Amino acid sequence: MDISLEMIRDQWMLDGTVLHIVNGKHRFYRELRMAACSENSAETNRIETVEAVLFIQQSCSWECDNSIPENCAVVTLKEPDAEVSAEREYLWVEGTSDLYAVMNELLSVFSYYNRIERELERFTYMQHGLQEMIGLLSRVCGNPAYVTDEHFHALAMEQANPDLSVYSINWKRIREHGYLPFHVVDSILQNEQWIDLRRSEKPILTETKEFSVPFVISNLRKEGRVRWHLFICELEKYITPADLDLIEAAGTYIEKCLLTGYSYKAAEGHYYDYFLRDVMSGNLLGSQLIQEQLKPLGWTFEGLFCVMELENREEDSLFFELLSTQMEKLAGGKSFLYREKEDVPYRFMTVFQLPSRQEYSQLLKKLESVLSMMKCRGGISDLYRRFNKLSSYEKQAGRALASLVNADSSCCLKTFQSIVWEELMQVQEKENLERLVDPLIIEMIEYDQLHHSEYAETMQVFLEQERNLIRTSKQLHIHRNTLVYRLEKMKELFAIELDDCECRARYILSFQIYNYQRRMNG
């Protein structure tokens, strides 16, 4: 391994000596050679009188003459001449040890780092070599290490270190979930300090307001572009200049491992992907955590959402980027790739938040135009409240998309609303039955429970009485004017559609399913 004078000083264990680095440049050197020394120096065997130098050179082609090559560092047992030290690095060994003891100690330091290099080389071609490599680097540096892709999703992490939550909730999050929270990533990427860090060619020890402890960041590149990040957290011991040099040297092997490992390919999509996938998979359920993540997107937890799934084109990354851009321009839609298991293909999902229910029909028209232009097909869910229900309503989108298999080839978009009766004929399990309930009815029932109102009961009776005001008011034991006021209020609060026969049928079915489940649950 190419090592620096700082790395030598960090591992120096020879008693009775002190090392000083003069004109330190943090250059790296491959070999250790002894320069020619006088006979008198060998006889006296003391540092104070020996005027010999040791070389560390980068190339094996050096021919030993009495000149000092340009590509070398000088390890001297006598304080170097100030005029000479300005041109190259010096390691000045101060103490009472003899020349050969110093030489042996230098050889042992080189041997130590060569063992590390052999391990890194071996891990490069192992199936899980990246994890082993990060474990080794953590042990050598004495601090937790991990590698992320450019979207801060952890690819490998040292697991044997102490509980990171003691130091920072964000370190805890990346350890438990494998990625930084989206709102933290958004804050980092907008920080001018981070922009400077990404430009750096060397590891940097830094601090940001997002973390309570200093950390080292080393940018790992593919074809000149930053694709991964190596982090070392300063938790167990102070990070030294030697650690920075070691991280830089090890970075070459980590890059090689990332480039040759099929599972470490550069991330695609957007840096909020992991947040959306976590909600979809049910790993992120806390409303407070979700609200923090939604804020950078400009979304609210209690907003109106719908989810669309598009036909699979897993290998077409250009299509994914183009369509993601179209969805963003269309209605601020956020697209991501999702799959439940490693052995199944990715699914292309897009989530929209709408300002009102009236915007839903307008969105459908715009989507039909875009999908027709892009020559692809999609299925879209009902409009629903609360973002954490994403995983339930993506199933609606999937069912709507599946129904397009037997649909007219000119049809490019299918809503779940249009296939409810088809779904009803296939109901076998409780969760499938629940999926048929219109989210507007659930919203109305929850509103009544919270505000002690009677809108759901009024709606159900009004539909059962075929929208007859007199019969409905008699059954509810309220005045006709009161009923009219309630109906107007319901239209204002929930944007119900009572003039659409398909919507009325869906509402009636939803009440029947809800009442049936309530009876079954006692």
Side-chain angles (χ1 to χ4, degrees):
M1 175 183 289
D2 295 345
I3 68 174
S4 68
L5 300 190
E6 288 285 359
M7 293 166 67
I8 293 175
R9 181 164 63 177
D10 193 62
Q11 293 297 321
W12 193 262
M13 299 180 64
L14 185 61
D15 294 334
T17 60
V18 178
L19 299 191
H20 307 279
I21 295 178
V22 181
N23 195 27
K25 299 182 183 297
H26 290 273
R27 290 173 177 166
F28 290 90
Y29 305 96
R30 168 63 62 174
E31 291 187 30
L32 176 65
R33 294 194 181 184
M34 183 181 292
C37 57
S38 66
E39 294 182 2
N40 293 333
S41 65
E43 291 175 358
T44 54
N45 213 28
R46 307 300 300 175
I47 281 182
E48 291 81 5
T49 58
V50 172
E51 298 183 11
V53 293
L54 301 176
F55 290 80
I56 303 175
Q57 70 164 31
Q58 295 169 310
S59 171
C60 298
S61 62
W62 176 65
E63 296 179 2
C64 186
D65 53 26
N66 290 325
S67 64
I68 300 176
E70 289 296 326
N71 58 342
C72 75
V74 181
V75 183
T76 179
L77 308 185
K78 179 181 178 182
E79 185 175 1
D81 190 321
E83 294 181 1
V84 179
S85 66
E87 298 180 4
R88 52 174 62 86
E89 287 184 291
Y90 282 82
L91 191 64
W92 170 31
V93 183
E94 180 185 21
T96 58
S97 294
D98 60 55
L99 174 64
Y100 300 106
V102 171
M103 183 67 178
N104 288 334
E105 180 62 19
L106 284 167
L107 287 171
S108 69
V109 172
F110 266 82
S111 177
Y112 169 75
Y113 286 112
N114 285 334
R115 287 196 301 272
I116 295 175
E117 182 182 37
R118 287 194 295 272
E119 286 293 285
L120 291 173
E121 189 70 35
R122 183 170 65 88
F123 294 149
T124 301
Y125 302 103
M126 287 175 56
Q127 185 175 2
H128 302 290
L130 185 62
Q131 180 61 51
E132 299 288 346
M133 202 175 286
I134 293 304
L136 174 64
L137 191 59
S138 298
R139 293 190 295 275
V140 174
C141 292
N143 280 304
Y146 62 96
V147 173
T148 73
D149 62 22
E150 59 184 321
H151 299 156
F152 302 97
H153 177 259
L155 301 176
M157 176 177 289
E158 173 55 37
Q159 298 293 335
N161 287 283
D163 185 5
L164 301 180
S165 62
V166 175
Y167 303 92
S168 168
I169 190 65
N170 287 328
W171 292 125
K172 177 183 179 183
R173 181 62 184 278
I174 198 169
R175 184 166 183 175
E176 291 182 351
H177 295 274
Y179 68 93
L180 283 177
F182 164 53
H183 70 286
V184 174
V185 174
D186 186 73
S187 173
I188 291 174
L189 293 181
Q190 295 183 35
N191 190 329
E192 291 184 4
Q193 178 188 8
W194 180 256
I195 296 174
D196 293 336
L197 291 174
R198 280 180 61 87
R199 292 176 181 151
S200 175
E201 298 286 341
K202 292 181 174 292
I204 296 177
L205 177 62
T206 187
E207 293 184 71
T208 68
K209 61 185 178 64
E210 288 80 17
F211 303 98
S212 58
V213 295
F215 61 93
V216 175
I217 174 172
S218 179
N219 299 313
L220 307 175
R221 289 173 165 80
K222 178 183 179 182
E223 298 174 354
R225 175 186 166 188
V226 175
R227 293 298 183 95
W228 305 281
H229 302 292
L230 169 63
F231 292 97
I232 307 288
C233 314
E234 189 178 78
L235 294 179
E236 297 186 341
K237 77 175 190 66
Y238 288 113
I239 292 173
T240 65
D243 290 329
L244 295 176
D245 290 343
L246 174 61
I247 292 165
E248 183 178 357
T252 303
Y253 296 93
I254 295 175
E255 280 184 358
K256 187 186 296 185
C257 188
L258 289 165
L259 290 169
T260 56
Y262 68 91
S263 60
Y264 307 129
K265 64 180 180 179
E268 296 181 358
H270 307 276
Y271 55 88
Y272 52 73
D273 281 13
Y274 302 110
F275 157 58
L276 294 177
R277 292 175 191 173
D278 238 12
V279 177
M280 182 78 83
S281 62
N283 293 331
L284 190 60
L285 299 176
S287 61
Q288 184 61 40
L289 286 175
I290 294 177
Q291 287 180 50
E292 291 175 356
Q293 307 281 49
L294 287 173
K295 189 175 180 181
L297 289 172
W299 289 355
T300 57
F301 182 78
E302 293 288 343
L304 288 169
F305 299 94
C306 61
V307 56
M308 180 179 70
E309 180 176 350
L310 296 181
E311 60 185 344
N312 182 42
R313 292 191 186 179
E314 183 182 2
E315 302 301 323
D316 196 342
S317 57
L318 179 60
F319 170 80
F320 172 78
E321 289 299 325
L322 288 174
L323 200 53
S324 294
T325 303
Q326 289 289 338
M327 295 300 105
E328 182 75 35
K329 291 179 179 178
L330 183 68
K334 305 301 179 185
S335 302
F336 64 102
L337 295 172
Y338 174 75
R339 63 180 178 182
E340 296 177 3
K341 300 177 182 178
E342 288 295 323
D343 57 346
V344 299
Y346 276 105
R347 299 160 61 194
F348 184 104
M349 317 294 294
T350 304
V351 183
F352 300 93
Q353 181 179 21
L354 302 179
S356 66
R357 292 188 179 277
Q358 286 75 12
E359 299 290 327
Y360 184 66
S361 58
Q362 297 180 21
L363 174 64
L364 295 179
K365 293 178 181 178
K366 293 177 182 178
L367 285 172
E368 285 182 346
S369 175
V370 171
L371 296 182
S372 176
M373 178 185 68
M374 299 289 291
K375 297 181 179 180
C376 62
R377 301 192 293 181
I380 193 165
S381 74
D382 290 329
L383 203 58
Y384 64 94
R385 286 196 184 275
R386 296 196 182 91
F387 187 77
N388 61 347
K389 295 181 180 179
L390 175 63
S391 60
S392 297
Y393 286 92
E394 64 87 13
K395 292 182 176 63
Q396 286 190 352
R399 291 299 303 163
L401 177 61
S403 71
L404 280 171
V405 174
N406 300 319
D408 185 351
S409 59
S410 63
C411 180
C412 59
L413 183 66
K414 199 84 166 178
T415 65
F416 185 75
Q417 172 74 24
S418 65
I419 65 162
V420 167
W421 294 109
E422 299 173 19
E423 284 287 290
L424 181 62
M425 302 303 293
Q426 302 176 22
V427 168
Q428 295 179 352
E429 299 177 1
K430 180 181 177 182
E431 53 267 29
N432 291 331
L433 192 64
E434 292 174 343
R435 199 167 70 243
L436 298 178
V437 178
D438 193 303
L440 185 147
I441 300 302
I442 297 296
E443 182 182 340
M444 190 179 294
I445 292 170
E446 291 177 348
Y447 185 95
D448 285 346
Q449 292 172 347
L450 184 63
H451 297 88
H452 306 289
S453 53
E454 300 174 343
Y455 292 126
E457 182 184 7
T458 302
M459 174 104 165
Q460 182 178 354
V461 174
F462 183 64
L463 293 172
E464 289 172 350
Q465 297 302 323
E466 298 181 347
R467 296 187 292 168
N468 186 296
L469 294 175
I470 295 176
R471 292 203 302 267
T472 302
S473 58
K474 283 185 177 180
Q475 184 162 337
L476 292 173
H477 305 289
I478 58 176
H479 194 274
R480 182 179 181 278
N481 291 344
T482 303
L483 175 60
V484 172
Y485 171 80
R486 282 188 189 178
L487 293 173
E488 292 298 322
K489 193 68 175 176
M490 287 159 62
K491 290 180 181 179
E492 177 184 339
L493 289 173
F494 309 108
I496 57 175
E497 283 288 344
L498 294 176
D499 294 326
D500 188 321
C501 65
E502 189 173 86
C503 289
R504 291 199 304 273
R506 177 84 183 277
Y507 297 155
I508 292 172
L509 174 64
S510 298
F511 279 118
Q512 290 174 341
I513 293 173
Y514 177 77
N515 292 330
Y516 168 79
Q517 290 183 323
R518 191 168 59 175
R519 289 195 302 271
M520 294 299 293
N521 294 330

